[in-house]
Amino acid sequence: MKKIGFIGAGNMAQAMIQGIIASQLCAPEEIQVYNHRYAPTLEKVVHTYQVTPQLDLATFLAEVEVIILAVKPPIVPQVIEQMKDHLRPTQVIVSIAAGVTIAQIQATISNPVIRVMPNTPAMVGAGMSSISPSKEVTADVLEEVRTVVDSFGKSEVVPESMMDAVVGVSGSAPAYVYLFIEALADGAVAEGMPRKQAYEFAAQTVLGSAKMVLETGKHPGELKDMVCSPGGTTIAAVQSLEESQFRAATIKAVRTAAQKNAAMSN
């Protein structure tokens, strides 16, 4: 495994670090984490995962081969500008910043770039990530980065042109699912179920339903039909959802997130 370094130590960086260590891809102390000062987030990561902190950017870049940009999108241009005089041609930049394109990064540096769009379930080892490489990325490097990404969930290699759709269907989508779980629980509470129990029923049902889609290979519509008995409770509920434009609202949400990401890339 090439030496990995993180610029940034927020929640997503921590999820990735946790996955890398849990999968034993490398020893904790071999993972370098840079921040310009010993901030509380860096202190937490060092204490929790026993990674190696770096406060000097030049020293950090001399130590690593795969550089994971885990900073907020508006900060990326500033960080790239600071990095450009210290990079080696063989170093690979992995960016998880939403809305920042490969072209925008390579306008300042010529290194190979891989865009990765993970989502927050990576924090429990169940993330879904897209991987989009620039043309300079070799097959070996791509496979190595995919191994890292798969350590905290699943991934698919997609063209960068699909990134807006990825944001809509997975990057932002955990928020829609949490809303759905909350609404399911609210309905059960309205029927007299205790709140804590309602969340457990709702969340486990969503988890199990997702596993059914992934593990059976059946179309979601076919799985839905398996639950809908003629004249039964489920088909009545489905009709109610259709009358409330449930699917139309969900499609609109996905496309709204995608369009917002596209606007951020301009």
Side-chain angles (χ1 to χ4, degrees):
M1 178 61 62
K2 295 182 185 297
K3 291 185 178 179
I4 299 171
F6 286 80
I7 298 181
N11 288 335
M12 196 54 68
Q14 292 175 41
M16 297 176 78
I17 290 168
Q18 181 175 310
I20 292 167
I21 294 172
S23 299
Q24 299 183 328
L25 295 178
C26 59
E29 63 273 12
E30 294 176 341
I31 301 173
Q32 310 274 327
V33 182
Y34 167 77
N35 197 44
H36 69 283
R37 61 186 178 87
Y38 204 68
T41 51
L42 180 58
E43 183 178 6
K44 176 188 174 184
V45 171
V46 171
H47 175 75
T48 304
Y49 302 108
Q50 307 303 306
V51 297
T52 300
Q54 292 285 0
L55 302 181
D56 180 74
L57 184 59
T59 302
F60 166 80
L61 293 174
E63 293 286 336
V64 300
E65 296 167 292
V66 176
I67 303 151
I68 299 178
L69 285 178
V71 297
K72 296 185 184 302
I75 303 174
V76 170
Q78 175 186 338
V79 172
I80 294 296
E81 184 67 30
Q82 293 170 348
M83 289 168 56
K84 68 177 184 180
D85 294 330
H86 304 288
L87 288 171
R88 302 184 300 277
T90 55
Q91 288 174 302
V92 179
I93 310 299
V94 177
S95 172
I96 65 171
V100 179
T101 66
I102 291 172
Q104 287 170 332
I105 294 173
Q106 290 188 323
T108 303
I109 60 171
S110 57
N111 293 64
V113 176
I114 300 176
R115 282 186 74 183
V116 173
M117 176 52 62
N119 60 12
T120 55
M123 300 175 72
V124 293
M128 184 65 215
S129 305
S130 68
I131 301 176
S132 301
S134 68
K135 63 181 185 297
E136 300 86 1
V137 176
T138 65
D140 288 346
V141 169
L142 179 61
E143 189 58 35
E144 194 158 20
V145 170
R146 188 168 187 182
T147 299
V148 171
V149 175
D150 285 348
S151 73
F152 49 84
K154 294 184 177 183
S155 68
E156 288 285 345
V157 178
V158 301
E160 190 182 19
S161 60
M162 286 178 57
M163 189 60 68
D164 297 333
V166 167
V167 169
V169 75
S170 69
S172 297
Y176 328 152
V177 178
Y178 301 142
L179 279 174
F180 180 55
I181 291 171
E182 186 178 31
L184 283 174
D186 284 347
V189 170
E191 290 296 319
M193 181 177 286
R195 172 69 62 179
K196 182 178 179 181
Q197 200 171 45
Y199 281 136
E200 184 174 3
F201 270 94
Q204 181 61 35
T205 297
V206 170
L207 175 63
S209 301
K211 284 176 68 67
M212 287 282 284
V213 173
L214 292 172
E215 294 181 12
T216 67
K218 294 181 182 296
H219 190 282
E222 183 180 354
L223 293 171
K224 177 207 70 179
D225 289 349
M226 290 168 58
V227 192
C228 294
S229 302
T233 59
T234 308
I235 192 63
V238 168
Q239 180 181 350
S240 175
L241 288 171
E242 292 288 7
E243 289 171 352
S244 299
Q245 297 187 312
F246 176 74
R247 282 196 282 191
T250 303
I251 293 168
K252 184 178 180 180
V254 172
R255 300 197 70 185
T256 298
Q259 290 160 10
K260 176 66 174 180
N261 191 70
M264 289 170 61
S265 301
N266 296 328

